[in-house]
Amino acid sequence: MTTSSFETIGKPPIDQFEVKPNLNPDDVSGFDWQQLYSELDWLPGGGLNKAHEAIDRHANGPRRDKIAMIWEGKNGEREDYTFGQMKRLSDKFAGALQNLGVETGDRLFLFLDRIPELYIAFFGILKAGAIAGPLFSAFGPDPVRDRLEDSGAKLLVTQPDLRRKVSGILGQLPALEHTIIINKNNREQTALEAGDLDYYEQMDAAPSDFEIVNTSQYDYSIMHYTSGTTGKPKGAVHRHQAAVQQYATGKWALDLHEDDIYWCTADPGWVTGTSYGMMAPWTNGVTQLIYEGGFRASAWYEQIQKHKVTVWYTAPTAIRMLMKAGDDVPKRYDLSSLRFSASVGEPLNPEAVVWGEGAIGMPFHDNWWQTETGAIMCANYAAMPIKPGSMGRPIPGVELGIVDDDFNPAPVGEDGNLVVRPNWPSMFHAYWQNPTMYNSKFRGGWYVTGDRARVDEDGYFWFQGRADDVINTAGHLVGPFEVESALIEHPDVAEAGVIGKPDPIAMEIVKAFVALNDGVEESTALRNDIMRFVREKLSTAVAPREIDFIPSLPKTRSGKIMRRLLKARELGLPEGDTSTLEDG
Ligand code: AMP
């Protein structure tokens, strides 16, 4: 992406806002994280726990009866939970976990649709001092097995249909001691398989009060697996301390205020769904909508109208799908409750920012961060003029840089590696049991994000692309290696190379190049079979949308697939340096 062809979208002076923005970006002098830490509540024992900051501190105070969660189910069901109820239920679940012998630091995974119990169980896990690992419910058995195996997960909380989907791999996990099944509203007739535990029975048997384990701010709380160029996804681990930045950026970048109704469309299987679908709104004591249903333009606008959403945090692919659905659709709904909208996960095209002004009455505010950063790092704030196509300016207390490959600062306006000065509060603290990979991300005094960007003379950052082969499809990072590994497990596939192919809606789609075993005939049926095979193993989100058969893959002399070359050929671009190509 290059400089926006649009003018900067101006904003009225800060004091003319109906709701005064929380951050004046021109007045951040003397910023000090310590002051933010003192706004947290802390545990009576002196520790810090995300569940206390998000739920209990409000349940113990004047927000006790305030609605924390408005839940709308996929069949139109509605349930509301106050902070007080969230506390009681998450206390119970923490007690149930203790009854099962869960200890501090255990890894417990959640494989659930967006039902209220997902949120209750998540905070119960944190209260018990364990580490929560939410999984995307569209995952197939392989990604679930990889994550439970790598983390040595002790317990899985899931629901009957998802349990069936992965039943083949559960026996392959020696560390897994318990599977708890939540059969929400008796949606399934037969819920439990041999050895499974029933969520409601466990809750009934648990004590009513639970004293949160006195975790320190440095203790691990959440892990999210994220893809890199090589190997399987790695578990990025976050600490309880991240709460402070999630709280602060909820105020600054999403402009949350006491009376807001907030809607984050991300699933908790991805980091946005926990940092901003749980922590940011609830540490700020804000009511949020959880919508279990999937994407449909009219259903989404209806959610805003029905629940009077005021602050909306979504993603570029969804915005582009809304644009595609047509401008007459939003006109059928009353969206006047909205006062702030933001986007993350992929580059947001300038056209989409501006489209927001006409269609929903305001531009989208793009912001940037990633799994490893744990919270927003760079944003177009409410009170700041938006530059469409830009990710905005760094949040107070965070230093971003653009450097060349030798870590020299790149001149203003020139592309370079996007880097962050380490030790921001929500910085990830490990890739689970992979210190070599973790350490490799810190070089030249910086954390290296893997993105390329540039900064302009006003200090706005502009995303330029990934520095590696990682694919961003609909906001989900996909490691080509993971998809290639699944492809070559198909009995007819000899080798495979995977790239991201530009796409007007999803930004990139996963495209595979496949060489078949000797004697196997190419056919449409085989192509479909390979696609189905990978979809079932991984998930629809990750499986290739296009497969081309080729006789053999271009490889370096050391045998590495040259994805760069596959991509250049696909896009009709110059092939660049091919001197390391296998056949000279
Ligand atoms: P994840 O770790 O899955 O959240 O993905 C993080 C990656 O998504 C970043 O490193 C970027 O490559 C991309 N990304 C996130 N937000 C933006 C944004 N606002 N503009 C461009 N790319 C983004």
Side-chain angles (χ1 to χ4, degrees):
M1 188 182 303
T2 51
T3 324
S4 157
S5 56
F6 295 92
E7 294 294 310
T8 298
I9 298 182
K11 291 291 185 65
I14 205 160
D15 53 4
Q16 287 181 22
F17 272 81
E18 208 175 306
V19 179
K20 195 164 182 285
N22 285 317
L23 180 69
N24 180 351
D26 297 321
D27 182 16
V28 293
S29 54
F31 172 81
D32 181 6
W33 281 114
Q34 283 318 315
Q35 200 215 313
L36 268 301
Y37 279 109
S38 68
E39 289 180 28
L40 299 182
D41 202 39
W42 301 82
L43 292 170
L48 188 76
N49 190 289
K50 281 176 171 166
H52 177 80
E53 298 303 328
I55 305 296
D56 288 21
R57 70 175 296 185
H58 308 303
N60 295 338
R63 296 195 186 102
R64 178 179 179 80
D65 297 322
K66 180 176 177 177
I67 304 283
M69 168 166 41
I70 301 168
W71 178 73
E72 179 157 332
K74 61 183 174 193
N75 307 317
E77 311 97 307
R78 161 97 189 237
E79 292 175 11
D80 290 349
Y81 294 82
T82 63
F83 281 104
Q85 288 166 322
M86 293 284 292
K87 174 182 184 316
R88 191 177 56 74
L89 291 163
S90 53
D91 273 355
K92 276 243 165 205
F93 193 69
L97 293 175
Q98 263 190 356
N99 283 348
L100 292 170
V102 165
E103 290 171 1
T104 309
D106 283 344
R107 278 78 57 209
L108 312 188
F109 276 67
L110 299 155
F111 187 41
L112 291 163
D113 288 335
R114 285 184 300 279
I115 53 175
E117 291 74 9
L118 163 57
Y119 298 79
I120 289 158
F122 178 88
F123 287 110
I125 291 172
L126 298 184
K127 287 183 172 185
I131 305 172
L135 296 168
F136 187 38
S137 60
F139 276 156
D142 284 19
V144 173
R145 185 201 49 220
D146 290 348
R147 286 157 175 77
L148 297 184
E149 195 170 52
D150 182 73
S151 63
K154 185 168 182 172
L155 185 144
L156 177 68
V157 188
T158 186
Q159 60 191 49
D161 54 332
L162 299 181
R163 199 255 188 247
R164 277 198 296 280
K165 182 160 73 165
V166 300
S167 56
I169 55 108
L170 294 182
Q172 301 167 22
L173 300 164
L176 189 68
E177 292 177 12
H178 303 288
T179 303
I180 299 181
I181 305 290
I182 305 177
N183 189 15
K184 172 87 182 157
N185 296 344
N186 291 318
R187 282 177 176 177
E188 301 261 344
Q189 279 190 337
T190 39
L192 297 188
E193 301 197 22
D196 289 349
L197 304 171
D198 177 65
Y199 170 81
Y200 300 100
E201 279 176 20
Q202 299 299 314
M203 291 287 271
D204 283 347
S208 298
D209 283 327
F210 185 85
E211 191 176 333
I212 296 185
V213 171
N214 190 29
T215 46
S216 100
Q217 59 182 311
Y218 306 117
D219 283 335
Y220 291 164
S221 54
I222 301 173
M223 65 197 298
H224 281 285
Y225 277 77
T226 180
S227 297
T229 319
T230 54
K232 300 243 167 128
K234 302 163 295 291
V237 191
H238 287 282
R239 310 194 285 192
H240 284 279
Q241 185 186 29
V244 75
Q245 196 172 333
Q246 291 154 352
Y247 163 74
T249 50
K251 277 193 197 310
W252 298 334
L254 301 178
D255 201 42
L256 293 174
H257 285 71
E258 179 73 40
D259 293 333
D260 277 319
I261 308 283
Y262 165 79
W263 182 27
C264 168
T265 58
D267 188 272
W270 311 102
V271 71
T272 306
T274 56
S275 295
Y276 293 92
M278 298 187 187
M279 293 305 299
W282 285 334
T283 50
N284 280 286
V286 165
T287 301
Q288 72 161 326
L289 165 68
I290 307 291
Y291 176 53
E292 190 193 10
F295 178 84
R296 203 158 40 85
S298 53
W300 274 32
Y301 292 127
E302 195 185 315
Q303 292 303 307
I304 296 174
Q305 172 180 281
K306 193 194 293 180
H307 302 293
K308 300 198 168 39
V309 172
T310 58
V311 176
W312 188 29
Y313 194 25
T314 187
T317 293
I319 296 169
R320 289 189 289 265
M321 287 179 355
L322 292 172
M323 289 169 77
K324 194 165 166 231
D327 289 4
D328 53 322
V329 190
K331 290 205 184 84
R332 283 183 236 139
Y333 296 88
D334 177 3
L335 307 178
S336 59
S337 57
L338 271 183
R339 65 167 189 84
F340 186 78
S341 64
S343 161
V344 74
E346 318 151 54
L348 183 62
N349 8 355
E351 293 79 5
V353 176
V354 175
W355 174 82
E357 287 221 295
I360 62 160
M362 75 207 59
F364 288 96
H365 297 71
D366 189 19
N367 54 58
W368 176 92
W369 59 293
Q370 52 179 201
T371 303
E372 288 85 346
T373 71
I376 294 172
M377 304 294 271
C378 182
N380 287 280
Y381 315 121
M384 182 173 100
I386 295 178
K387 291 197 186 191
S390 160
M391 322 190 285
R393 285 160 46 180
I395 62 155
V398 159
E399 184 185 351
L400 298 185
I402 305 289
V403 297
D404 67 19
D405 291 345
D406 296 321
F407 296 95
N408 303 308
V412 166
E414 277 185 29
D415 282 17
N417 298 300
L418 176 62
V419 291
V420 188
R421 197 67 80 190
N423 293 329
W424 65 97
S426 61
M427 186 175 93
F428 73 132
H429 198 252
Y431 286 128
W432 188 256
Q433 291 188 332
N434 199 339
T436 311
M437 180 64 80
Y438 183 76
N439 292 335
S440 76
K441 297 277 176 171
F442 295 87
R443 282 181 285 139
W446 295 97
Y447 161 72
V448 182
T449 67
D451 284 352
R452 291 185 67 78
R454 62 188 170 75
V455 59
D456 69 17
E457 61 288 351
D458 298 325
Y460 284 67
F461 282 73
W462 299 76
F463 181 81
Q464 302 296 313
R466 287 289 303 184
D468 54 23
D469 289 335
V470 172
I471 301 161
N472 189 330
T473 182
H476 300 153
L477 292 195
V478 177
F481 176 82
E482 196 184 7
V483 185
E484 289 160 2
S485 307
L487 281 162
I488 57 176
E489 283 183 44
H490 189 283
D492 292 333
V493 174
E495 50 185 18
V498 165
I499 62 161
K501 177 179 166 184
D503 181 80
I505 298 286
M507 179 161 132
E508 292 186 306
I509 56 159
V510 177
K511 166 143 195 175
F513 295 86
V514 161
L516 296 172
N517 285 324
D518 285 347
V520 176
E521 289 285 320
E522 295 176 10
S523 70
T524 308
L526 179 57
R527 181 182 285 116
N528 291 342
D529 189 63
I530 296 172
M531 278 188 189
R532 184 196 47 77
F533 178 81
V534 180
R535 257 200 311 269
E536 276 173 17
K537 276 178 103 44
L538 300 178
S539 94
T540 39
V542 170
R545 284 234 235 127
E546 285 183 19
I547 296 180
D548 277 5
F549 293 123
I550 54 174
S552 66
L553 287 155
K555 286 196 262 348
T556 62
R557 290 200 190 93
S558 59
K560 274 173 74 177
I561 293 165
M562 291 184 81
R563 301 188 188 107
R564 178 177 57 76
L565 196 60
L566 286 170
K567 189 154 181 169
R569 287 178 183 167
E570 171 71 24
L571 302 181
L573 298 172
E575 295 196 357
D577 179 8
T578 53
S579 59
T580 58
L581 195 59
E582 198 175 31
D583 300 319

